[in-house]
Amino acid sequence: MEKTRSKTFILEKDKTWEPAGEGAVRQIIGYDGQVMLVKVKFEQGAVGTAHTHYHTQTTYVASGKFEFTVNGEKQVVSTGDGIYIEPDAEHGCVCLEAGVLIDCFSPMRADFLK
């Protein structure tokens, strides 16, 4: 049986950007059953609609500025900042300045794979 995993090297130029909501696109940049790394590019004003999932998530702000809400707590984060989102926590964001988030999920988000 073949393992569920990405290729070893994932080059941005070879990856298609997938829709990730109004004003946002994503690239899956590595995964196996235990972990998944996803790059999400937001236009200014785009909204990451509030949602929950059973995965642990950590997010790194690679660029831009975002207002995150996690379990009712709001915080503006910008380049270099990070967010920890525990399983089943309601979370979402509004992009204040166009930017890129790097999301890490454990276990992987099977729903992101086609």
Side-chain angles (χ1 to χ4, degrees):
M1 184 168 160
E2 188 175 326
K3 280 184 165 183
T4 298
R5 65 180 291 275
S6 63
K7 295 178 180 177
T8 301
F9 297 100
I10 298 94
L11 307 180
E12 182 179 49
K13 67 180 179 66
D14 297 338
K15 285 290 290 177
T16 317
W17 288 94
E18 304 169 9
E22 187 75 30
V25 291
R26 72 175 166 234
Q27 288 182 324
I28 297 170
I29 52 176
Y31 68 91
D32 67 14
Q34 301 305 307
V35 68
M36 177 178 272
L37 199 61
V38 180
K39 179 171 37 176
V40 189
K41 185 170 24 175
F42 285 83
E43 297 173 4
Q44 184 172 346
V47 174
T49 304
H51 64 284
T52 64
H53 47 73
Y54 69 88
H55 312 81
T56 297
Q57 176 178 342
T58 59
T59 296
Y60 173 73
V61 183
S63 64
K65 185 181 281 188
F66 299 82
E67 181 184 71
F68 263 83
T69 304
V70 181
N71 277 340
E73 182 181 353
K74 287 185 189 239
Q75 176 70 50
V76 173
V77 294
S78 55
T79 304
D81 294 338
I83 303 104
Y84 165 75
I85 302 164
E86 66 185 356
D88 301 313
E90 184 175 68
H91 59 285
C93 69
V94 176
C95 181
L96 304 176
E97 293 176 9
V100 174
L101 300 176
I102 306 296
D103 292 333
C104 182
F105 300 99
S106 179
M108 74 162 189
R109 294 286 304 261
D111 56 317
F112 282 8
L113 301 177
K114 291 181 178 175

